[in-house]
Amino acid sequence: MKLESLEDLFVHHLQDIYSAEKQITRELPKMAKATSSPDLEKAFTKHLKETENQIKRLEKVFKQLDRSPGRKKCKGMEGLLEEGASLIEEEPEENVLDAGLISSAQRVEHYEISAYGTAIAWAELLGYDVAIGLLEQSLEEESAANEKLNALAEGGINQEALEPASVE
Ligand code: FE
Ligand code: ZN
Ligand code: FE
């Protein structure tokens, strides 16, 4: 598709986010399974549900614009998620893994926060009022997820990774 207008670029951008969210729903369960922290597991599981809703919101926006979600692949998200997956494959000490999982997840959230921020700015310029509301709800969830991860890291998980591994 040739991008002739900001509207085309907006749709293109939403298709990218749509792909990113879909990829995230495949990785979050693996991250929830990999952590040994019940709080972190809960945060991942909760965000999985939110992510599923975010996908539905995007589908609503596409429907309203009478455009298709397309089959674009978000390579940025693919790369971020691959890095997270390869960390798990290295089988780090469990506290070290938890600190690393938070780091990976926060990079994902920041990417999404940036993507939704741009989408909202363009939706405002284009006058797509319903899209703005839907995208803002998702942006709020991404910000809250990022803050929750920050709180978990600073509330003990980073400190536990600093301490020597417990002998069992
Ligand atoms: Fe998301
Ligand atoms: Zn992307
Ligand atoms: Fe997210």
Side-chain angles (χ1 to χ4, degrees), residues 18 21 25 46-61 116 134-135 137-138 141-142:
Y18 187 72
E21 297 289 18
T25 59
K46 179 176 181 231
H47 200 52
L48 173 61
K49 289 216 180 76
E50 290 172 335
T51 304
E52 285 162 355
N53 267 320
Q54 292 167 359
I55 290 170
K56 288 190 192 134
R57 284 188 200 117
L58 289 168
E59 286 167 351
K60 267 192 210 165
V61 175
Y116 278 111
L134 291 165
L135 296 169
Q137 286 177 49
S138 297
E141 287 169 355
E142 310 299 16

PDB file of all heavy atoms in Angstrom, residues 18 21 25 46-61 116 134-135 137-138 141-142:
ATOM      1  N   TYR A  18      -1.109  -3.611  16.048  1.00  0.00           N
ATOM      2  CA  TYR A  18      -1.956  -4.816  16.098  1.00  0.00           C
ATOM      3  C   TYR A  18      -1.080  -6.070  16.073  1.00  0.00           C
ATOM      4  O   TYR A  18      -1.268  -6.998  16.864  1.00  0.00           O
ATOM      5  CB  TYR A  18      -2.906  -4.793  14.900  1.00  0.00           C
ATOM      6  CG  TYR A  18      -3.952  -5.885  14.892  1.00  0.00           C
ATOM      7  CD1 TYR A  18      -5.020  -5.844  15.781  1.00  0.00           C
ATOM      8  CD2 TYR A  18      -3.888  -6.945  13.984  1.00  0.00           C
ATOM      9  CE1 TYR A  18      -5.993  -6.834  15.780  1.00  0.00           C
ATOM     10  CE2 TYR A  18      -4.860  -7.935  13.976  1.00  0.00           C
ATOM     11  CZ  TYR A  18      -5.910  -7.874  14.873  1.00  0.00           C
ATOM     12  OH  TYR A  18      -6.869  -8.857  14.860  1.00  0.00           O
ATOM     13  N   GLU A  21       0.755  -6.383  19.460  1.00  0.00           N
ATOM     14  CA  GLU A  21      -0.100  -6.895  20.546  1.00  0.00           C
ATOM     15  C   GLU A  21      -0.325  -8.396  20.390  1.00  0.00           C
ATOM     16  O   GLU A  21      -0.311  -9.140  21.378  1.00  0.00           O
ATOM     17  CB  GLU A  21      -1.463  -6.174  20.547  1.00  0.00           C
ATOM     18  CG  GLU A  21      -1.411  -4.682  20.811  1.00  0.00           C
ATOM     19  CD  GLU A  21      -1.059  -4.311  22.258  1.00  0.00           C
ATOM     20  OE1 GLU A  21      -0.527  -5.154  23.005  1.00  0.00           O
ATOM     21  OE2 GLU A  21      -1.293  -3.148  22.617  1.00  0.00           O
ATOM     22  N   THR A  25       0.687 -11.436  23.148  1.00  0.00           N
ATOM     23  CA  THR A  25      -0.198 -12.440  23.771  1.00  0.00           C
ATOM     24  C   THR A  25       0.413 -13.844  23.687  1.00  0.00           C
ATOM     25  O   THR A  25       0.071 -14.712  24.473  1.00  0.00           O
ATOM     26  CB  THR A  25      -1.609 -12.500  23.135  1.00  0.00           C
ATOM     27  OG1 THR A  25      -1.479 -12.817  21.744  1.00  0.00           O
ATOM     28  CG2 THR A  25      -2.366 -11.206  23.302  1.00  0.00           C
ATOM     29  N   LYS A  46      -2.262 -10.648  34.387  1.00  0.00           N
ATOM     30  CA  LYS A  46      -3.207  -9.529  34.302  1.00  0.00           C
ATOM     31  C   LYS A  46      -2.997  -8.768  32.978  1.00  0.00           C
ATOM     32  O   LYS A  46      -3.958  -8.418  32.290  1.00  0.00           O
ATOM     33  CB  LYS A  46      -2.990  -8.581  35.488  1.00  0.00           C
ATOM     34  CG  LYS A  46      -3.908  -7.375  35.487  1.00  0.00           C
ATOM     35  CD  LYS A  46      -3.728  -6.525  36.737  1.00  0.00           C
ATOM     36  CE  LYS A  46      -4.679  -5.338  36.711  1.00  0.00           C
ATOM     37  NZ  LYS A  46      -3.997  -4.066  36.950  1.00  0.00           N
ATOM     38  N   HIS A  47      -1.745  -8.567  32.636  1.00  0.00           N
ATOM     39  CA  HIS A  47      -1.487  -7.805  31.417  1.00  0.00           C
ATOM     40  C   HIS A  47      -1.840  -8.600  30.157  1.00  0.00           C
ATOM     41  O   HIS A  47      -2.166  -8.008  29.128  1.00  0.00           O
ATOM     42  CB  HIS A  47      -0.044  -7.298  31.364  1.00  0.00           C
ATOM     43  CG  HIS A  47       0.115  -6.165  30.409  1.00  0.00           C
ATOM     44  ND1 HIS A  47      -0.682  -5.044  30.432  1.00  0.00           N
ATOM     45  CD2 HIS A  47       0.951  -5.975  29.352  1.00  0.00           C
ATOM     46  CE1 HIS A  47      -0.342  -4.232  29.457  1.00  0.00           C
ATOM     47  NE2 HIS A  47       0.649  -4.769  28.777  1.00  0.00           N
ATOM     48  N   LEU A  48      -1.809  -9.916  30.263  1.00  0.00           N
ATOM     49  CA  LEU A  48      -2.259 -10.742  29.136  1.00  0.00           C
ATOM     50  C   LEU A  48      -3.734 -10.466  28.845  1.00  0.00           C
ATOM     51  O   LEU A  48      -4.131 -10.264  27.687  1.00  0.00           O
ATOM     52  CB  LEU A  48      -2.028 -12.233  29.437  1.00  0.00           C
ATOM     53  CG  LEU A  48      -2.599 -13.220  28.419  1.00  0.00           C
ATOM     54  CD1 LEU A  48      -1.976 -13.025  27.034  1.00  0.00           C
ATOM     55  CD2 LEU A  48      -2.401 -14.668  28.880  1.00  0.00           C
ATOM     56  N   LYS A  49      -4.539 -10.425  29.904  1.00  0.00           N
ATOM     57  CA  LYS A  49      -5.976 -10.137  29.725  1.00  0.00           C
ATOM     58  C   LYS A  49      -6.166  -8.754  29.126  1.00  0.00           C
ATOM     59  O   LYS A  49      -6.996  -8.547  28.234  1.00  0.00           O
ATOM     60  CB  LYS A  49      -6.697 -10.206  31.076  1.00  0.00           C
ATOM     61  CG  LYS A  49      -6.809 -11.628  31.598  1.00  0.00           C
ATOM     62  CD  LYS A  49      -8.144 -11.844  32.333  1.00  0.00           C
ATOM     63  CE  LYS A  49      -8.245 -13.273  32.839  1.00  0.00           C
ATOM     64  NZ  LYS A  49      -7.403 -13.477  34.039  1.00  0.00           N
ATOM     65  N   GLU A  50      -5.401  -7.787  29.628  1.00  0.00           N
ATOM     66  CA  GLU A  50      -5.505  -6.422  29.093  1.00  0.00           C
ATOM     67  C   GLU A  50      -5.108  -6.400  27.624  1.00  0.00           C
ATOM     68  O   GLU A  50      -5.738  -5.724  26.810  1.00  0.00           O
ATOM     69  CB  GLU A  50      -4.601  -5.475  29.898  1.00  0.00           C
ATOM     70  CG  GLU A  50      -5.120  -5.232  31.305  1.00  0.00           C
ATOM     71  CD  GLU A  50      -4.150  -4.463  32.190  1.00  0.00           C
ATOM     72  OE1 GLU A  50      -2.921  -4.494  31.945  1.00  0.00           O
ATOM     73  OE2 GLU A  50      -4.620  -3.843  33.157  1.00  0.00           O
ATOM     74  N   THR A  51      -4.075  -7.145  27.298  1.00  0.00           N
ATOM     75  CA  THR A  51      -3.588  -7.165  25.916  1.00  0.00           C
ATOM     76  C   THR A  51      -4.660  -7.736  24.976  1.00  0.00           C
ATOM     77  O   THR A  51      -4.853  -7.239  23.863  1.00  0.00           O
ATOM     78  CB  THR A  51      -2.276  -7.969  25.828  1.00  0.00           C
ATOM     79  OG1 THR A  51      -1.333  -7.397  26.731  1.00  0.00           O
ATOM     80  CG2 THR A  51      -1.687  -7.942  24.430  1.00  0.00           C
ATOM     81  N   GLU A  52      -5.347  -8.763  25.450  1.00  0.00           N
ATOM     82  CA  GLU A  52      -6.433  -9.327  24.633  1.00  0.00           C
ATOM     83  C   GLU A  52      -7.509  -8.275  24.368  1.00  0.00           C
ATOM     84  O   GLU A  52      -8.067  -8.192  23.266  1.00  0.00           O
ATOM     85  CB  GLU A  52      -7.012 -10.571  25.323  1.00  0.00           C
ATOM     86  CG  GLU A  52      -6.065 -11.765  25.185  1.00  0.00           C
ATOM     87  CD  GLU A  52      -6.319 -12.895  26.177  1.00  0.00           C
ATOM     88  OE1 GLU A  52      -7.180 -12.735  27.072  1.00  0.00           O
ATOM     89  OE2 GLU A  52      -5.629 -13.931  26.051  1.00  0.00           O
ATOM     90  N   ASN A  53      -7.788  -7.454  25.381  1.00  0.00           N
ATOM     91  CA  ASN A  53      -8.747  -6.363  25.200  1.00  0.00           C
ATOM     92  C   ASN A  53      -8.230  -5.288  24.263  1.00  0.00           C
ATOM     93  O   ASN A  53      -8.994  -4.687  23.501  1.00  0.00           O
ATOM     94  CB  ASN A  53      -9.034  -5.692  26.548  1.00  0.00           C
ATOM     95  CG  ASN A  53     -10.245  -6.305  27.211  1.00  0.00           C
ATOM     96  OD1 ASN A  53     -11.233  -6.609  26.548  1.00  0.00           O
ATOM     97  ND2 ASN A  53     -10.152  -6.484  28.513  1.00  0.00           N
ATOM     98  N   GLN A  54      -6.943  -5.044  24.331  1.00  0.00           N
ATOM     99  CA  GLN A  54      -6.336  -4.032  23.459  1.00  0.00           C
ATOM    100  C   GLN A  54      -6.477  -4.446  21.996  1.00  0.00           C
ATOM    101  O   GLN A  54      -6.708  -3.607  21.117  1.00  0.00           O
ATOM    102  CB  GLN A  54      -4.865  -3.827  23.834  1.00  0.00           C
ATOM    103  CG  GLN A  54      -4.713  -3.177  25.216  1.00  0.00           C
ATOM    104  CD  GLN A  54      -3.307  -3.237  25.760  1.00  0.00           C
ATOM    105  OE1 GLN A  54      -2.399  -3.787  25.129  1.00  0.00           O
ATOM    106  NE2 GLN A  54      -3.106  -2.672  26.949  1.00  0.00           N
ATOM    107  N   ILE A  55      -6.342  -5.739  21.748  1.00  0.00           N
ATOM    108  CA  ILE A  55      -6.517  -6.262  20.387  1.00  0.00           C
ATOM    109  C   ILE A  55      -7.956  -6.010  19.924  1.00  0.00           C
ATOM    110  O   ILE A  55      -8.201  -5.566  18.798  1.00  0.00           O
ATOM    111  CB  ILE A  55      -6.153  -7.759  20.334  1.00  0.00           C
ATOM    112  CG1 ILE A  55      -4.631  -7.901  20.511  1.00  0.00           C
ATOM    113  CG2 ILE A  55      -6.626  -8.411  19.037  1.00  0.00           C
ATOM    114  CD1 ILE A  55      -4.157  -9.333  20.710  1.00  0.00           C
ATOM    115  N   LYS A  56      -8.913  -6.255  20.826  1.00  0.00           N
ATOM    116  CA  LYS A  56     -10.319  -6.017  20.475  1.00  0.00           C
ATOM    117  C   LYS A  56     -10.576  -4.539  20.194  1.00  0.00           C
ATOM    118  O   LYS A  56     -11.330  -4.188  19.286  1.00  0.00           O
ATOM    119  CB  LYS A  56     -11.231  -6.505  21.601  1.00  0.00           C
ATOM    120  CG  LYS A  56     -11.293  -8.020  21.669  1.00  0.00           C
ATOM    121  CD  LYS A  56     -12.375  -8.491  22.628  1.00  0.00           C
ATOM    122  CE  LYS A  56     -12.205  -9.988  22.900  1.00  0.00           C
ATOM    123  NZ  LYS A  56     -12.317 -10.297  24.328  1.00  0.00           N
ATOM    124  N   ARG A  57      -9.942  -3.676  20.993  1.00  0.00           N
ATOM    125  CA  ARG A  57     -10.104  -2.233  20.754  1.00  0.00           C
ATOM    126  C   ARG A  57      -9.576  -1.850  19.374  1.00  0.00           C
ATOM    127  O   ARG A  57     -10.208  -1.075  18.649  1.00  0.00           O
ATOM    128  CB  ARG A  57      -9.358  -1.426  21.821  1.00  0.00           C
ATOM    129  CG  ARG A  57     -10.060  -1.394  23.134  1.00  0.00           C
ATOM    130  CD  ARG A  57      -9.390  -0.412  24.099  1.00  0.00           C
ATOM    131  NE  ARG A  57      -9.787  -0.771  25.443  1.00  0.00           N
ATOM    132  CZ  ARG A  57      -8.954  -1.182  26.410  1.00  0.00           C
ATOM    133  NH1 ARG A  57      -7.656  -1.230  26.189  1.00  0.00           N
ATOM    134  NH2 ARG A  57      -9.421  -1.523  27.579  1.00  0.00           N
ATOM    135  N   LEU A  58      -8.429  -2.393  19.020  1.00  0.00           N
ATOM    136  CA  LEU A  58      -7.860  -2.073  17.700  1.00  0.00           C
ATOM    137  C   LEU A  58      -8.795  -2.570  16.599  1.00  0.00           C
ATOM    138  O   LEU A  58      -8.993  -1.886  15.587  1.00  0.00           O
ATOM    139  CB  LEU A  58      -6.463  -2.687  17.558  1.00  0.00           C
ATOM    140  CG  LEU A  58      -5.370  -2.025  18.407  1.00  0.00           C
ATOM    141  CD1 LEU A  58      -4.111  -2.888  18.422  1.00  0.00           C
ATOM    142  CD2 LEU A  58      -5.038  -0.628  17.886  1.00  0.00           C
ATOM    143  N   GLU A  59      -9.373  -3.747  16.800  1.00  0.00           N
ATOM    144  CA  GLU A  59     -10.304  -4.282  15.791  1.00  0.00           C
ATOM    145  C   GLU A  59     -11.500  -3.349  15.618  1.00  0.00           C
ATOM    146  O   GLU A  59     -11.986  -3.140  14.507  1.00  0.00           O
ATOM    147  CB  GLU A  59     -10.732  -5.707  16.167  1.00  0.00           C
ATOM    148  CG  GLU A  59      -9.596  -6.704  15.908  1.00  0.00           C
ATOM    149  CD  GLU A  59      -9.793  -8.091  16.519  1.00  0.00           C
ATOM    150  OE1 GLU A  59     -10.747  -8.273  17.305  1.00  0.00           O
ATOM    151  OE2 GLU A  59      -8.967  -8.976  16.203  1.00  0.00           O
ATOM    152  N   LYS A  60     -11.956  -2.766  16.754  1.00  0.00           N
ATOM    153  CA  LYS A  60     -13.045  -1.789  16.676  1.00  0.00           C
ATOM    154  C   LYS A  60     -12.638  -0.575  15.847  1.00  0.00           C
ATOM    155  O   LYS A  60     -13.431  -0.053  15.053  1.00  0.00           O
ATOM    156  CB  LYS A  60     -13.401  -1.296  18.091  1.00  0.00           C
ATOM    157  CG  LYS A  60     -14.517  -2.063  18.745  1.00  0.00           C
ATOM    158  CD  LYS A  60     -14.979  -1.318  20.001  1.00  0.00           C
ATOM    159  CE  LYS A  60     -15.508  -2.322  21.015  1.00  0.00           C
ATOM    160  NZ  LYS A  60     -15.634  -1.757  22.368  1.00  0.00           N
ATOM    161  N   VAL A  61     -11.422  -0.114  16.074  1.00  0.00           N
ATOM    162  CA  VAL A  61     -10.942   1.066  15.344  1.00  0.00           C
ATOM    163  C   VAL A  61     -10.870   0.754  13.846  1.00  0.00           C
ATOM    164  O   VAL A  61     -11.346   1.535  13.013  1.00  0.00           O
ATOM    165  CB  VAL A  61      -9.569   1.543  15.874  1.00  0.00           C
ATOM    166  CG1 VAL A  61      -9.024   2.690  15.025  1.00  0.00           C
ATOM    167  CG2 VAL A  61      -9.680   1.986  17.337  1.00  0.00           C
ATOM    168  N   TYR A 116       1.385   4.001  21.028  1.00  0.00           N
ATOM    169  CA  TYR A 116       0.032   4.519  21.283  1.00  0.00           C
ATOM    170  C   TYR A 116       0.036   6.046  21.376  1.00  0.00           C
ATOM    171  O   TYR A 116      -0.923   6.704  20.946  1.00  0.00           O
ATOM    172  CB  TYR A 116      -0.573   3.900  22.558  1.00  0.00           C
ATOM    173  CG  TYR A 116      -1.172   2.535  22.320  1.00  0.00           C
ATOM    174  CD1 TYR A 116      -0.585   1.390  22.848  1.00  0.00           C
ATOM    175  CD2 TYR A 116      -2.339   2.382  21.568  1.00  0.00           C
ATOM    176  CE1 TYR A 116      -1.126   0.124  22.635  1.00  0.00           C
ATOM    177  CE2 TYR A 116      -2.888   1.131  21.344  1.00  0.00           C
ATOM    178  CZ  TYR A 116      -2.280   0.000  21.883  1.00  0.00           C
ATOM    179  OH  TYR A 116      -2.827  -1.239  21.656  1.00  0.00           O
ATOM    180  N   LEU A 134     -10.525   4.943  22.576  1.00  0.00           N
ATOM    181  CA  LEU A 134     -10.099   3.536  22.663  1.00  0.00           C
ATOM    182  C   LEU A 134      -8.582   3.443  22.841  1.00  0.00           C
ATOM    183  O   LEU A 134      -8.084   2.673  23.666  1.00  0.00           O
ATOM    184  CB  LEU A 134     -10.532   2.783  21.400  1.00  0.00           C
ATOM    185  CG  LEU A 134     -12.051   2.564  21.252  1.00  0.00           C
ATOM    186  CD1 LEU A 134     -12.394   2.152  19.818  1.00  0.00           C
ATOM    187  CD2 LEU A 134     -12.553   1.515  22.241  1.00  0.00           C
ATOM    188  N   LEU A 135      -7.868   4.239  22.070  1.00  0.00           N
ATOM    189  CA  LEU A 135      -6.406   4.189  22.139  1.00  0.00           C
ATOM    190  C   LEU A 135      -5.909   4.705  23.489  1.00  0.00           C
ATOM    191  O   LEU A 135      -4.928   4.198  24.039  1.00  0.00           O
ATOM    192  CB  LEU A 135      -5.794   5.002  20.992  1.00  0.00           C
ATOM    193  CG  LEU A 135      -6.090   4.460  19.583  1.00  0.00           C
ATOM    194  CD1 LEU A 135      -5.671   5.478  18.521  1.00  0.00           C
ATOM    195  CD2 LEU A 135      -5.396   3.127  19.340  1.00  0.00           C
ATOM    196  N   GLN A 137      -7.461   4.396  26.345  1.00  0.00           N
ATOM    197  CA  GLN A 137      -7.642   3.330  27.355  1.00  0.00           C
ATOM    198  C   GLN A 137      -6.464   2.363  27.324  1.00  0.00           C
ATOM    199  O   GLN A 137      -5.948   1.945  28.358  1.00  0.00           O
ATOM    200  CB  GLN A 137      -8.925   2.545  27.070  1.00  0.00           C
ATOM    201  CG  GLN A 137     -10.209   3.274  27.402  1.00  0.00           C
ATOM    202  CD  GLN A 137     -11.429   2.436  27.003  1.00  0.00           C
ATOM    203  OE1 GLN A 137     -11.510   1.255  27.328  1.00  0.00           O
ATOM    204  NE2 GLN A 137     -12.352   3.031  26.280  1.00  0.00           N
ATOM    205  N   SER A 138      -6.042   2.004  26.124  1.00  0.00           N
ATOM    206  CA  SER A 138      -4.916   1.076  26.001  1.00  0.00           C
ATOM    207  C   SER A 138      -3.627   1.722  26.495  1.00  0.00           C
ATOM    208  O   SER A 138      -2.843   1.085  27.216  1.00  0.00           O
ATOM    209  CB  SER A 138      -4.759   0.603  24.553  1.00  0.00           C
ATOM    210  OG  SER A 138      -5.919  -0.118  24.169  1.00  0.00           O
ATOM    211  N   GLU A 141      -3.427   1.504  30.166  1.00  0.00           N
ATOM    212  CA  GLU A 141      -3.061   0.156  30.644  1.00  0.00           C
ATOM    213  C   GLU A 141      -1.566  -0.102  30.478  1.00  0.00           C
ATOM    214  O   GLU A 141      -0.942  -0.722  31.343  1.00  0.00           O
ATOM    215  CB  GLU A 141      -3.855  -0.910  29.885  1.00  0.00           C
ATOM    216  CG  GLU A 141      -5.309  -0.970  30.289  1.00  0.00           C
ATOM    217  CD  GLU A 141      -6.169  -1.821  29.365  1.00  0.00           C
ATOM    218  OE1 GLU A 141      -5.660  -2.305  28.322  1.00  0.00           O
ATOM    219  OE2 GLU A 141      -7.361  -1.995  29.675  1.00  0.00           O
ATOM    220  N   GLU A 142      -1.012   0.356  29.372  1.00  0.00           N
ATOM    221  CA  GLU A 142       0.433   0.148  29.157  1.00  0.00           C
ATOM    222  C   GLU A 142       1.238   0.907  30.214  1.00  0.00           C
ATOM    223  O   GLU A 142       2.212   0.386  30.760  1.00  0.00           O
ATOM    224  CB  GLU A 142       0.874   0.619  27.761  1.00  0.00           C
ATOM    225  CG  GLU A 142       0.065   0.136  26.574  1.00  0.00           C
ATOM    226  CD  GLU A 142       0.035  -1.350  26.361  1.00  0.00           C
ATOM    227  OE1 GLU A 142       0.384  -2.120  27.269  1.00  0.00           O
ATOM    228  OE2 GLU A 142      -0.364  -1.757  25.248  1.00  0.00           O
TER     229      GLU A 142
END
